[in-house]
């Protein structure tokens, strides 16, 4: 592509993205293609000869776009959001243009130093103590794996890195913890049977007394406790494990405490939601995802550690070809995680933090929380619905009940979800809470307004009426 064409298609694509964001509502939120439909439209082998951008872009619209599920649609109420914003998109574009690979300081000093600075801004925003240091990971799953590896090394005096496991180490998490905990435990070599699930209370938060009992029981059986993972804002229901009592137990037994606040961490920049991180100062590490709720496009996961030396001792490697003259005085983020090569993600985060300002971000988060509360209140007033968990943030868990017998409810709600999503106007997902099929509605897309939430309510109520009338 010559430079004239690069400019031409560059301008054209920025226009395309701008139009897309303005008109995304015209698409069904969830792609309606069938499995295999996209692949069937693509050639099985690569093109031999160069193709014109016009043709490629044409195929993008014809073949790829129908297979897109629109995360940026204001009717996005599924899973958790994966936000972007104009500032973030431009930061990502610049990062691609620079093609930076920031594995060590000298491979782009600005990539390392900007990352240090924006991570410290985030640290202040969520109120972690001074001295904690941050690094951007691709995802919360990776951050939690890093925490497990660091915990493993700290508890064994860095021996597993040298010689492998010589006895089992135990990890504890609430029954409601995210599946990335189980995945991390498997990958880090603890073994799934050494992951101990701790019961949760009526509000689905870990019961600290049960944690202590499980630790005592393991000690009695000669097993070595290593790490506790607490969740602030569980994926199923938004439950908050109480960090203070959990942290005190971890200190008493000398265990690593990792806090998974992937979704809800963003909300803790609000003074009225900061309670959710009370006790985080007792933890050893914490992760939250600006790529979920802080207007920064995927991927961008903020991982903080109290003692960065444990982390770097866990991961550091010193091959001759990576040594530089400044290693003693700079951060080389290659030693702060699993990968060597690193994207310049700090750039988009910096754009977002500056372009919105902390106050601008707070305003959007508050609007989302307010809209979730409005949704909950309206459903409650309807009388046919049951709210399944407290609404602390912007996630509402509910089900249609309408006086029907318990054994019909799972199927009734499964059908309700299908009917609602098939309208294409909104997209919600489900979970099970205490064995009960539960619908989840999360308000968190940047452009979601009251009218979208009211429309969702209307559709849900109407589909509920139709289902109940049909038997
Ligand atoms: C979304 C989520 C994760 C996983 O996030 P990734 O960044 O996609 O790995 C982990 N924990 C919780 C509580 C989450 O909500």
């Amino acid at each position: 592509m010559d430079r004239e064409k690069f400019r031409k298609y560059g301008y054209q694509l920025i226009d395309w993205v701008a139009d897309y964001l303005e008109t995304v509502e015209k698409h069904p939120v969830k792609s309606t293609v069938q499995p295999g439909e996209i692949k069937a439209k693509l050639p099985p082998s690569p093109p031999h000869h160069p193709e014109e951008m016009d043709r490629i872009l044409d195929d993008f619209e014809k073949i790829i776009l129908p297979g897109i599920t629109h995360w940026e649609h204001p009717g996005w109420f599924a899973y958790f959001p994966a936000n972007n914003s104009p500032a973030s998109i431009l930061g990502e574009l610049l990062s691609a243009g620079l093609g930076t690979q920031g594995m060590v300081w000298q491979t782009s000093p600005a990539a390392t130093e900007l990352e240090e600075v924006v991570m410290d801004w985030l640290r202040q925003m969520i109120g972690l103590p001074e001295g904690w240091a941050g690094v951007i990971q691709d995802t919360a799953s990776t951050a939690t794996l890093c925490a497990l590896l660091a915990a493993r090394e700290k508890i064994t005096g860095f021996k597993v890195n040298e010689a492998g496991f010589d006895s089992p180490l135990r990890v504890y998490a609430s029954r409601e913890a995210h599946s990335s905990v189980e995945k991390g435990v498997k990958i880090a070599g603890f073994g799934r049977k050494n992951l101990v699930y701790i019961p949760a209370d009526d509000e689905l938060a870990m019961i600290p007394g049960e944690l202590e009992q499980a630790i005592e029981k393991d000690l009695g059986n000669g097993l070595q406790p290593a790490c506790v993972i607490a969740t602030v804002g569980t994926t199923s229901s938004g439950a908050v494990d109480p960090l203070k009592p959990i942290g005190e137990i971890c200190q008493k037994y000398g265990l690593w405490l990792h806090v998974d606040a992937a979704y809800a961490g963003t909300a803790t920049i609000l003074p009225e939601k900061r309670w959710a991180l009370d006790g985080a100062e007792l933890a050893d590490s914490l992760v939250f995802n600006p790529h979920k709720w802080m207007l920064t496009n995927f991927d961008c996961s903020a991982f903080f550690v109290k003692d960065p030396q444990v982390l770097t001792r866990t991961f550091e490697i010193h091959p001759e070809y990576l040594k530089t003259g400044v290693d003693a005085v700079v951060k080389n983020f290659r030693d702060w995680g699993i990968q060597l090569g690193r994207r310049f993600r700090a750039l988009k985060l910096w754009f977002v933090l500056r372009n919105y300002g902390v106050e601008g971000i707070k305003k959007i988060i508050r609007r989302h929380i307010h809209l979730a509360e409005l949704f909950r209140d309206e459903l409650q007033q309807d009388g046919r619905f049951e709210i399944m968990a407290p609404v602390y943030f912007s996630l509402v868990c509910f089900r249609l009940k309408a006086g029907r017998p318990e054994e019909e409810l799972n199927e009734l709600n499964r059908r309700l979800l299908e009917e609602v999503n098939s309208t294409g106007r909104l997209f919600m997902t489900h979970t099970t809470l205490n064995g009960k099929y539960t619908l989840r509605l999360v308000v968190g897309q940047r452009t979601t307004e009251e009218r979208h939430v009211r429309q969702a309510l209307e559709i849900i109520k109407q589909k509920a009426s139709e289902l109940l009338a049909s038997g």
Side-chain angles (χ1 to χ4, degrees):
M1 193 179 314
D2 64 31
R3 39 195 262 213
E4 289 313 315
K5 284 201 174 131
F6 179 67
R7 280 175 198 278
K8 177 182 161 209
Y9 292 111
Y11 293 132
Q12 188 178 318
L13 280 187
I14 285 290
D15 280 337
W16 191 95
V17 172
D19 290 343
Y20 170 73
L21 292 177
E22 282 162 31
T23 59
V24 59
E25 268 186 78
K26 74 177 187 208
H27 300 284
V29 189
K30 183 168 163 283
S31 170
T32 56
V33 298
Q34 296 302 311
E37 198 175 320
I38 304 294
K39 269 194 290 187
K41 290 183 182 151
L42 294 165
S45 45
H48 290 288
H49 301 292
E51 292 188 70
E52 280 302 324
M53 277 308 289
D54 280 334
R55 284 200 54 192
I56 302 172
L57 294 177
D58 214 38
D59 282 348
F60 165 75
E61 297 235 12
K62 278 204 208 103
I63 301 172
I64 304 301
L65 201 55
I68 295 297
T69 289
H70 300 280
W71 288 74
E72 307 315 315
H73 194 299
W76 182 275
F77 301 108
Y79 304 104
F80 282 129
N83 260 304
N84 71 13
S85 60
S88 177
I89 295 166
L90 295 178
E92 188 77 289
L93 176 67
L94 264 191
S95 169
L98 293 169
T100 301
Q101 200 275 60
M103 59 185 176
V104 295
W105 181 85
Q106 76 167 13
T107 59
S108 274
T112 296
E113 295 190 11
L114 184 63
E115 183 162 334
E116 286 182 58
V117 169
V118 291
M119 290 302 287
D120 198 62
W121 290 0
L122 289 185
R123 176 192 67 74
Q124 296 169 46
M125 286 164 69
I126 62 170
L128 287 179
E130 244 175 272
W132 282 58
V135 56
I136 301 178
Q137 303 282 356
D138 52 7
T139 60
S141 303
T142 302
T144 293
L145 172 59
C146 290
L148 282 163
L149 293 165
R152 185 191 81 184
E153 291 312 302
K154 187 174 182 199
I155 207 90
T156 60
F158 299 87
K159 287 216 181 82
V160 177
N161 264 352
E162 291 304 320
F165 282 92
D166 60 11
S167 59
L169 297 174
R170 306 284 273 180
V171 178
Y172 310 83
S174 139
R175 186 154 287 292
E176 295 291 317
H178 188 264
S179 55
S180 57
V181 173
E182 180 186 335
K183 203 187 224 180
V185 162
K186 288 199 295 179
I187 300 170
F190 291 90
R192 189 159 44 189
K193 75 174 201 298
N194 290 307
L195 172 56
V196 184
Y197 283 118
I198 307 299
D201 63 18
D202 290 344
E203 301 194 338
L204 302 159
M206 189 197 289
I207 303 172
E210 296 274 354
L211 170 66
E212 185 156 10
Q213 272 182 27
I215 293 169
E216 284 288 351
K217 185 171 163 220
D218 279 352
L219 287 169
N221 290 331
L223 295 164
Q224 191 179 5
C227 181
V228 175
I229 295 174
T231 312
V232 169
T234 59
T235 312
S236 272
S237 76
V240 176
D241 293 344
L243 298 184
K244 210 163 210 115
I246 293 171
E248 282 161 4
I249 292 167
C250 289
Q251 298 217 315
K252 177 173 167 190
Y253 293 94
L255 310 186
W256 186 286
L257 174 58
H258 173 63
V259 178
D260 175 2
Y263 148 71
T266 296
T268 67
I269 70 171
L270 302 175
E272 65 271 27
K273 296 294 173 191
R274 181 56 181 68
W275 60 267
L277 286 187
D278 281 354
E281 66 281 359
L282 302 175
D284 297 279
S285 57
L286 178 146
V287 63
F288 89 94
N289 283 348
H291 72 223
K292 271 188 172 153
W293 201 6
M294 205 182 263
L295 312 174
T296 308
N297 68 279
F298 191 86
D299 53 354
C300 184
S301 189
F303 180 48
F304 296 94
V305 285
K306 181 183 272 168
D307 180 359
Q309 277 195 341
V310 176
L311 192 69
T312 53
R313 246 189 100 180
T314 299
F315 290 109
E316 70 190 348
I317 30 110
H318 297 288
E320 193 55 34
Y321 48 80
L322 289 178
K323 286 183 183 158
T324 73
V326 291
D327 287 350
V329 292
V330 298
K331 275 185 186 166
N332 288 319
F333 276 128
R334 64 151 200 248
D335 291 333
W336 289 62
I338 293 162
Q339 62 201 87
L340 170 62
R342 312 185 72 249
R343 281 155 44 65
F344 189 3
R345 300 186 189 91
L347 199 55
K348 62 187 173 188
L349 188 54
W350 187 51
F351 276 31
V352 169
L353 294 174
R354 292 188 62 182
N355 189 237
Y356 285 88
V358 178
E359 287 309 313
I361 298 171
K362 282 182 177 170
K363 208 169 134 195
I364 292 172
I365 302 305
R366 279 202 177 102
R367 186 184 80 222
H368 291 153
I369 293 172
H370 166 76
L371 291 176
E373 290 168 352
L374 179 141
F375 179 84
R376 174 200 59 196
D377 295 347
E378 293 280 326
L379 272 193
Q380 249 164 351
Q381 274 169 25
D382 181 288
R384 294 174 298 173
F385 296 90
E386 181 184 15
I387 304 300
M388 304 294 283
V391 177
Y392 298 124
F393 306 106
S394 67
L395 164 62
V396 185
C397 290
F398 66 98
R399 66 175 180 170
L400 176 61
K401 205 167 175 191
R404 294 291 172 97
E406 186 62 43
E407 63 271 18
E408 287 177 18
L409 294 182
N410 284 1
E411 178 59 15
L412 182 70
N413 281 280
R414 200 191 55 70
R415 284 171 58 202
L416 177 59
L417 181 65
E418 220 170 78
E419 290 293 321
V420 166
N421 285 342
S422 72
T423 65
R425 312 285 287 282
L426 70 154
F427 181 28
M428 295 189 306
T429 49
H430 79 282
T431 187
T432 54
L433 296 177
N434 298 319
K436 295 170 181 166
Y437 192 96
T438 299
L439 306 184
R440 292 168 78 263
L441 180 132
V442 191
V443 186
Q445 212 291 322
R446 177 176 55 92
T447 54
T448 301
E449 292 169 17
E450 182 166 334
R451 68 187 167 94
H452 302 106
V453 173
R454 292 211 178 271
Q455 183 190 64
L457 271 165
E458 235 172 74
I459 292 172
I460 292 165
K461 287 182 185 183
Q462 190 203 330
K463 293 293 176 190
S465 299
E466 287 170 20
L467 268 181
L468 292 169
S470 74

